[in-house]
Amino acid sequence: MRAITHISASAAAAVIAGAVTEPAAAAGIFLFGGFLDADHIGHFVASGLPANPAAYFHSIFRNEKQLENKYSIKRGIPSNWIFPALHCIEFALLLAAAGIILGSQLLLWGGVGVILHLLLDIRSYPCSPEFFSIIWRISHRKRLLRAWVTHRSKIHW
């Protein structure tokens, strides 16, 4: 999914949250929901995206197929742990729990932003929605590795 879609959806949700609650809630949704894909940068650079600000900026507006066509990026199993670690329900729950414990609306609503992001990504990963649990990924690693092989051809561009 294009990063701009996440940014736009998170901005809309943030406006609503800001009107109903407080600015920190809006900031949490917008930052964590809209920019969670920053963890993809390392994977994309390792896969062929030029390591320069212009390429990063333009990648915000392209989906995976367009990035593949322009830079020969290959979608596949991320080699770095941070890429899948932020795309999980456990991260959202950790943020929300930290927000409650620390009294931080930014972190609490950041958890909501992560959940919004994951909902938008449902069709972008193999074995979804189970994929979005890191516990499930660890316990079903072999199944997930097999699914990555066939998933690339099933992505709805």
Side-chain angles (χ1 to χ4, degrees):
M1 172 170 288
R2 289 180 176 102
I4 193 65
T5 305
H6 288 295
I7 294 166
S8 300
S10 296
V15 167
I16 294 167
V20 175
T21 60
E22 62 182 73
I29 290 174
F30 182 65
L31 293 173
F32 286 93
F35 297 95
L36 191 66
D37 282 342
D39 66 350
H40 292 27
I41 292 172
H43 176 69
F44 286 159
V45 168
S47 299
L49 182 71
N52 66 59
Y56 298 159
F57 178 76
H58 290 111
S59 71
I60 291 171
F61 302 97
R62 293 185 170 108
N63 63 27
E64 289 88 353
K65 184 66 173 174
Q66 292 166 330
L67 289 171
E68 181 179 330
N69 291 340
K70 181 148 179 78
Y71 301 111
S72 300
I73 290 173
K74 298 296 179 202
R75 176 107 189 219
I77 302 167
S79 60
N80 138 357
W81 68 270
I82 200 163
F83 178 89
L86 297 183
H87 280 73
C88 66
I89 194 70
E90 292 86 355
F91 179 62
L93 295 174
L94 181 65
L95 273 177
I100 291 168
I101 292 167
L102 300 172
S104 169
Q105 292 294 307
L106 178 79
L107 295 177
L108 176 62
W109 286 87
V112 173
V114 171
I115 291 170
L116 171 62
H117 187 100
L118 298 180
L119 288 171
L120 292 170
D121 271 353
I122 284 286
R123 293 176 54 178
S124 298
Y125 292 93
C127 303
S128 291
E130 294 91 350
F131 174 86
F132 295 109
S133 167
I134 199 138
I135 295 167
W136 183 90
R137 281 185 243 157
I138 291 168
S139 63
H140 294 86
R141 181 171 169 73
K142 287 182 183 180
R143 178 178 168 200
L144 182 57
L145 291 174
R146 282 191 311 268
W148 267 111
V149 173
T150 59
H151 178 70
R152 190 170 182 280
S153 62
K154 294 180 184 177
I155 296 173
H156 301 280
W157 306 104

